């Protein structure tokens, strides 16, 4: 019967609609028009006046009495008209351009895969560029590069192990960052309590890593048998507990006033060097950490451990049945992530010298997660890019929009990006395939699989 | 903490807990049908607060309202809050979730979209309505009504308690007794079979969001009446209600009510014993402890089964 309908309906969508008894006003184009009008309204509010709390209607009145809504409405209607009535020629052009642009990409990919030396050369060149390019920037950007971008990149690399490789949803990652920072403060004697002996900052790193490992094990051991969403809320609770404890135990952490006078990194072995207020040496130090960790993690990804994580992520039951000790490997991922976060914490505390619990808000944990997924879970280049780009973006937006609105744009970008490219900017190939399988219903995934009710026709 | 103070904090806890319970229902319903954490539900709650504030400011209540006027103000404020909450939730589902479902995106992506939407919405509200806290216009004279074991109960507290209980009973009725409710339960149990049986999944999902939004919006208005309305007001109650939904057993409507009530009480007793700085520690410690021994929450996960 259905074939009969399609045959008679060859006259186009209009006649199909008539056959199905759908009136002209029920055509999806009109709901798309409504959507465009709604978008125009939202854009007007986004780009409009700043409101005040003295007059709650001020911003709305100013926005909608001026020319702004008409400009946006015009633009949106233009987009709608083009999309509804000239979509075919545009599609043709796009198809042609895609076809043209493919060979060079394939050539680059082939070269990349084919020769190990080329890979090493390109990577070395990239590191060199990353090391020397910032020298031409202003001091403000040096600060941003160190205090934020490099630190968050480190955090994102660590979280990638937990979520991208082992498939565990961790919403309390920055808690370990805080623990690392407070360890640095403790062992360099900046906290109200005195350590048994003071350590050089470089020696604090293994101690902080150990502290974070233990904290990760304490949190992880009882909770890792929880499923994705439960793990998420427990880690979130852990973050809140660490944050509030740091804020309230004044005798130990200095409370909400914070910690000041954490020492800078220094070397004193035959020759001596001290990292001071200038951000660039810190940048190189952090870049060193990042390169080292990326190297280690890349080795780890394809090792026995990495393969065990993949197995757990793809199907925990099957992994356990084939002899993977799931609890051990999950704990391991959790602890490795936590210690990376701890390293970032030590570096941060040593760089800024002064910090307080407000530097480790819950939002930071959420943001790191967003960076990882934005970049493409499980893929190190993706994560590096995601973190660097999304930390850089609000800083650069400072010059173009009201600084208080920066995170509004970041949020909008996250939504749009996730709708049009859910796999992230630069996804790992394996991960991409898994997600595809999960969405087709082939595998039953972890916290990262497709939602059950999610199948819409 | 003396005994009378204990009762004081218990009353505060029950009042706050009933609000958490109402918000938690929004999380748990959405989890039931889509199995995803709607992180942006806290912004729906915030818009509920602003909805009430806008409606009452536009109407500009007189400074000392009479009894009938008070009732009208409260009703209008609550309806406006619920309406804006519902609209926000509807829009959220349309814009942030439906396109993803169409693409069969993985769950984590939903989480990130929700986080993005949450950032966008609360910063937008801050931009539109100013970034300082605003009190609700006076709707009634908030005086002490009666006391239970020496703990005073004022009109706002009673209002919150009664509205929350009414909303919870109403919701329980909707989920268990109406056609929409059986649609929601069917989708929660097995979306594919439900759609084979003629349930329009899109419609059910959309309406589930709206129901959650109505409740969240009304709760936002009540919260704003009790405290103040500000653009980040959704964050902490949202997180706590989210924890409450998980604590009660996510997907389980009655579990969300129990969880919310429990977390509200624990939170205020923590404040009573150790001071305001420790407010959220008790709640989260209880959450972690309960999940250790009952990994699927107090009443257990009952996605789909009789709510």
């Amino acid at each position: 019967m259905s074939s009969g309908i399609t045959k008679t309906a060859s006259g186009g969508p209009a006649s199909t609609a008539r056959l199905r008894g759908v009136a002209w006003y029920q055509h999806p184009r009109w709901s798309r028009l409504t959507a465009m009008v709604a978008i125009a309204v939202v854009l007007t509010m986004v780009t409009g006046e700043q409101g005040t709390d003295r007059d709650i209607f001020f911003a709305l009145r100013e926005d909608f009495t001026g020319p702004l809504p008409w400009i946006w409405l015009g633009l949106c209607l233009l987009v709608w008209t083009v999309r509804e009535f000239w979509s075919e020629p545009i599609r043709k052009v796009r198809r042609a351009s895609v076809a043209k642009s493919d060979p060079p990409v394939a050539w680059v990919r082939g070269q990349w895969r084919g020769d190990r030396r080329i890979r090493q050369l390109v990577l070395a060149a990239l590191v060199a560029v990353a090391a020397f390019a910032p020298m031409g920037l202003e001091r403000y950007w040096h600060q941003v590069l160190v205090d934020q971008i490099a630190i968050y990149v480190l955090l994102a690399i660590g979280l990638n192990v937990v979520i991208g490789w082992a498939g565990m949803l961790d919403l309390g990652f920055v808690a370990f960052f805080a623990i690392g920072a407070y360890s640095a403060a403790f062992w360099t004697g900046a906290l109200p309590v005195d350590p048994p002996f003071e350590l050089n900052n470089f020696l604090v790193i293994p101690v902080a890593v150990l502290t974070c490992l233990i904290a990760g094990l304490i949190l992880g051991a009882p909770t890792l048998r929880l499923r994705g969403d439960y793990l998420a809320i427990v880690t979130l609770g852990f973050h809140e507990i660490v944050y509030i404890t740091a804020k309230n135990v004044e005798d130990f952490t200095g409370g909400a006033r914070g910690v000041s006078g954490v020492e800078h990194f220094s070397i004193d072995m035959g020759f001596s060097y001290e990292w001071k207020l200038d951000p660039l040496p810190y940048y190189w130090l952090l870049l060193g950490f990042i390169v080292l960790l990326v190297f280690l993690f890349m080795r780890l990804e394809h090792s026995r451990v990495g393969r065990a994580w993949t197995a757990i992520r793809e199907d925990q039951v099957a992994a356990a049945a084939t002899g993977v000790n799931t609890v051990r490997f999950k704990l391991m991922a959790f602890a490795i992530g936590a210690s990376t976060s701890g390293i970032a914490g030590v570096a941060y505390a040593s760089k800024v010298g002064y910090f307080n619990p407000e530097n480790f808000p819950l939002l930071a944990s959420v943001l790191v997660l967003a960076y990882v997924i934005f970049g493409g879970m499980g893929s190190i280049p993706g994560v590096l890019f995601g973190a660097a780009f999304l930390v850089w973006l609000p800083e650069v937006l400072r010059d173009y929009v009201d600084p208080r609105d920066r995170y509004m744009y970041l949020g909008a970008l996250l939504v749009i990006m996730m709708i049009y490219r859910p796999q992230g900017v630069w996804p790992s190939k394996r991960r991409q395939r898994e997600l595809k399988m999960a969405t087709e219903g082939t595998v039953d995934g972890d916290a990262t699989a497709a939602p059950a009710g999610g199948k819409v026709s | 903490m003396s005994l009378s103070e204990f009762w004081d904090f218990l009353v505060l806890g029950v009042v706050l807990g009933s609000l958490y319970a109402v918000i938690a229902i929004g999380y748990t319903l959405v989890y039931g049908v889509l199995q995803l954490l709607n992180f942006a539900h806290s912004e729906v709650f915030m818009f509920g607060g602003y909805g009430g504030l806008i409606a009452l400011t536009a109407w500009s209540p007189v400074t000392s309202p009479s009894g009938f006027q008070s009732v009208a103000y409260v009703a209008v404020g609550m309806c406006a809050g619920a309406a804006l909450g519902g609209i926000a939730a509807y829009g959220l589902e349309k814009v942030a979730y439906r396109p993803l479902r169409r693409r069969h995106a993985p769950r984590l992506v939903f989480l990130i979209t929700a986080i993005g939407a949450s950032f966008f919405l609360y910063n937008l509200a801050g931009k539109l309505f100013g970034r300082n806290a605003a009190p609700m216009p006076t709707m009634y004279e908030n005086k002490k009504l009666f006391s239970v074991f020496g703990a005073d109960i004022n009109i706002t507290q009673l209002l919150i308690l009664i509205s929350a209980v009414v909303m919870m009973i109403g919701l329980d009725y909707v989920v268990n007794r109406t056609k929409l409710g059986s649609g929601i339960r069917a989708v929660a149990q097995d979306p594919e079979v439900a759609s084979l049986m003629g349930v329009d999944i899109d419609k059910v999902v959309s309406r589930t969001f709206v129901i959650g939004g109505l409740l969240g919006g009304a709760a936002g208005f009540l919260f704003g009446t009790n405290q103040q309305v500000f653009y980040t007001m959704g964050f902490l109650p949202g997180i706590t209600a989210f924890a409450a939904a998980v604590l009660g057993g996510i997907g389980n409507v009655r579990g969300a009510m129990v969880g919310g009530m429990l977390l509200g009480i624990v939170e205020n007793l923590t404040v009573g014993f150790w001071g305001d700085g420790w407010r959220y520690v008790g709640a989260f410690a209880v959450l972690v402890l309960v999940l250790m021994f009952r990994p699927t929450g107090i009443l257990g996960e009952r996605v789909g089964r009789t709510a």
Side-chain angles (χ1 to χ4, degrees):
Chain A
M1 193 184 108
S2 68
S3 68
I5 286 183
T6 39
K7 229 171 239 168
T8 46
S10 55
S15 55
T16 332
R18 201 159 48 240
L19 271 174
R20 274 188 288 151
V22 181
W24 64 268
Y25 55 84
Q26 283 171 317
H27 193 280
R29 103 168 27 122
W30 304 117
S31 65
R32 286 199 285 267
L33 180 64
T34 326
M36 285 321 265
V37 173
I39 288 175
V41 170
V42 171
L43 280 173
T44 309
M45 294 195 285
V46 165
T47 50
E49 276 306 306
Q50 290 287 337
T52 77
D53 47 295
R54 269 187 296 280
D55 178 7
I56 198 165
F57 293 109
F58 175 76
L60 287 175
R61 204 167 46 226
E62 291 292 311
D63 290 351
F64 288 97
T65 47
L68 203 56
W70 301 110
I71 297 172
W72 284 121
L73 199 64
L75 280 175
C76 287
L77 287 184
L78 189 70
V79 170
W80 178 79
T81 325
V82 169
R83 196 182 171 286
E84 297 299 328
F85 302 106
W86 284 297
S87 59
E88 201 41 47
I90 293 176
R91 216 170 285 155
K92 239 178 243 162
V93 170
R94 195 189 286 165
R95 230 176 274 142
S97 71
V98 165
K100 243 178 265 164
S101 71
D102 217 55
V105 174
W107 181 80
V108 168
R109 201 172 279 160
Q111 289 293 314
W112 180 256
R113 290 219 193 99
D115 198 342
R116 190 193 171 89
R117 260 174 316 174
I118 289 186
R119 268 201 308 257
Q120 284 166 346
L121 219 75
V122 170
L123 284 180
L126 276 179
V127 171
V129 168
F132 294 112
M135 289 174 88
L137 293 171
E138 291 164 38
R139 195 186 158 86
Y140 171 75
W141 285 104
H142 289 167
Q143 294 282 12
V144 171
L145 210 53
V146 180
D147 292 357
Q148 301 193 38
I149 296 184
I151 295 283
Y152 274 100
V153 163
L154 259 181
L155 286 175
I157 301 174
L159 186 60
N160 180 46
V161 174
V162 183
I163 194 161
W165 291 347
M168 294 183 287
L169 185 48
D170 184 351
L171 278 180
F173 197 64
V174 168
F176 299 110
F177 180 53
I179 292 175
Y182 275 102
S183 316
F186 177 71
W187 290 104
T188 56
L191 288 186
V193 281
D194 289 325
F197 44 85
E198 288 192 14
L199 288 174
N200 179 288
N201 294 48
F202 282 107
L203 294 178
V204 172
I205 291 181
V207 180
V209 164
L210 200 67
T211 319
C212 285
L213 263 174
I214 294 169
L217 289 182
I218 292 175
L219 173 70
T223 54
L224 283 185
R225 66 201 174 101
L226 297 175
R227 243 198 27 232
D229 305 319
Y230 291 94
L231 186 65
I233 187 75
V234 166
T235 45
L236 193 148
F238 173 71
H239 182 137
E240 203 61 11
I241 291 172
V242 168
Y243 168 77
I244 293 176
T245 310
K247 216 168 165 177
N248 283 297
V249 190
E250 291 199 359
D251 300 334
F252 185 74
T253 62
R257 277 176 295 117
V259 183
S260 53
V262 183
E263 275 176 42
H264 289 292
F265 276 111
S266 58
I267 293 181
D268 197 6
M269 294 184 308
F271 66 101
S272 66
Y273 179 78
E274 195 185 349
W275 276 259
K276 292 203 183 79
L277 289 172
D278 186 17
L280 261 189
Y282 264 101
Y283 172 69
W284 288 320
L285 183 68
L286 278 166
L287 192 68
F289 284 153
I290 293 171
V291 169
L292 184 69
L293 281 174
V294 164
F295 176 72
L296 289 178
F297 286 170
M298 278 189 158
R299 308 284 302 171
L300 205 56
E301 188 185 0
H302 300 293
S303 72
R304 206 175 108 85
V305 180
R307 280 177 283 131
W309 284 335
T310 312
I312 293 173
R313 182 180 74 212
E314 290 187 351
D315 190 335
Q316 194 174 332
V317 180
T322 44
V324 176
N325 185 343
T326 53
V327 174
R328 211 182 104 204
F329 281 107
K330 278 166 97 173
L331 260 182
M332 200 166 168
F334 208 69
I336 288 175
S339 32
T340 315
S341 195
I343 296 176
V346 175
Y348 179 74
S350 314
K351 162 67 180 68
V352 294
Y354 166 82
F355 62 90
N356 64 30
E358 300 303 328
N359 292 78
F360 317 107
L362 201 52
L363 273 182
S365 277
V366 173
L367 275 174
V368 180
L369 180 70
Y371 300 156
V372 171
I373 302 192
F374 181 88
M377 262 188 299
S379 119
I380 285 190
V383 168
L384 291 176
F385 172 78
F389 177 74
L390 286 187
V391 179
W392 169 81
L393 184 73
E395 289 305 319
V396 78
L397 275 180
R398 228 179 248 282
D399 297 339
Y400 298 100
V401 297
D402 191 311
R404 290 170 297 177
D405 292 344
R406 288 174 297 153
Y407 283 90
M408 182 169 70
Y409 293 97
L410 184 74
L413 176 73
L414 278 181
V415 174
I416 294 167
M417 173 74 191
M418 285 296 114
I419 289 174
Y420 289 104
R421 205 177 158 81
Q423 70 271 37
V425 181
W426 190 332
S428 88
K429 252 167 109 202
R430 176 155 206 131
R431 197 76 226 196
Q432 202 169 7
R433 204 171 61 234
E434 270 168 42
L435 296 183
K436 215 173 131 231
M437 274 157 69
T439 51
E440 285 163 357
T442 334
V443 292
D444 206 26
D446 46 25
T448 54
K455 317 262 174 357
V456 206
S457 53
Chain B
M1 188 167 70
S2 69
L3 196 61
S4 74
E5 276 176 339
F6 173 80
W7 288 108
D8 280 340
F9 282 110
L10 194 65
V11 166
L12 287 177
V14 169
V15 169
L16 191 64
S18 55
L19 276 186
Y20 285 157
V22 173
I23 310 167
I25 289 170
Y27 283 103
T28 226
L29 277 180
V30 168
Y31 192 90
V33 292
L34 288 184
Q35 253 133 76
L36 63 91
L37 302 166
N38 179 12
F39 220 80
H41 191 59
S42 48
E43 279 18 276
V44 169
F45 169 79
M46 178 268 297
F47 271 113
Y50 273 109
L53 183 63
I54 288 170
L56 290 177
T57 314
W59 198 13
S60 60
V62 289
T63 40
S64 55
S66 68
F68 176 74
Q69 279 172 318
S70 300
V71 173
Y73 288 147
V74 171
V76 165
M78 183 129 43
C79 289
L84 199 55
I87 292 171
Y90 176 79
L92 194 67
E93 197 269 334
K94 255 318 210 223
V95 174
Y97 293 138
R98 181 154 306 180
L100 288 178
R101 286 199 293 134
R102 221 158 252 162
R103 277 161 193 266
H104 309 302
R107 275 164 71 184
L108 260 183
V109 170
F110 282 83
L111 185 69
I112 300 303
T113 336
I115 290 169
S118 171
F119 271 45
F120 177 75
L121 287 177
Y122 85 75
N123 282 299
L124 182 65
K127 183 185 168 99
L128 282 180
F129 306 125
R131 287 181 179 77
N132 293 322
M136 281 283 175
T138 325
M139 293 174 281
Y140 48 82
E141 193 190 341
N142 190 13
K143 59 188 174 205
K144 178 191 147 184
L145 278 180
F146 54 86
S147 44
V148 186
F149 299 109
D152 295 345
I153 293 185
N154 59 32
I155 296 184
T156 307
Q157 289 171 333
L158 193 71
L159 173 71
I160 291 175
L161 210 55
I162 291 175
S163 341
V165 169
V166 168
M167 282 192 272
M168 284 190 264
I169 293 173
L171 180 92
D172 211 65
Y173 177 80
V174 168
V175 171
N176 288 320
R177 297 269 182 277
T178 62
K179 200 175 163 196
L180 174 61
S182 54
I184 292 176
R185 281 179 290 136
V187 173
Q189 247 174 22
D190 191 330
E192 278 170 35
V193 176
S195 76
L196 289 177
M197 298 295 128
V199 178
D200 185 342
I201 295 190
D202 275 359
K203 214 174 255 176
V204 167
V205 167
S206 182
R207 287 186 185 165
T208 310
F209 267 86
V210 171
I211 293 177
L214 291 175
L215 293 180
F221 166 74
L222 291 171
F223 186 87
T225 316
N226 197 15
Q227 302 185 14
Q228 278 182 322
V229 180
F230 46 99
Y231 75 113
T232 52
M233 73 188 248
F235 188 67
L236 283 172
I239 295 277
T240 321
F242 170 28
V246 174
L247 182 67
I250 192 134
N252 183 331
V253 174
R254 287 184 188 155
M257 298 177 190
V258 173
M261 204 53 110
L262 185 68
L263 281 196
I265 292 171
V266 168
E267 185 185 313
N268 273 291
L269 290 185
T270 316
V271 174
F273 278 110
W274 291 289
D276 198 47
W278 294 96
R279 185 171 274 272
Y280 295 97
V281 165
F284 280 108
V286 166
L287 176 81
V288 173
L289 280 178
V290 169
L291 286 187
M292 265 180 209
F293 296 105
R294 272 192 74 87
T296 49
I298 298 175
L299 295 191
E301 239 178 294
R302 298 182 73 184
V303 179
R305 276 158 230 115
T306 57

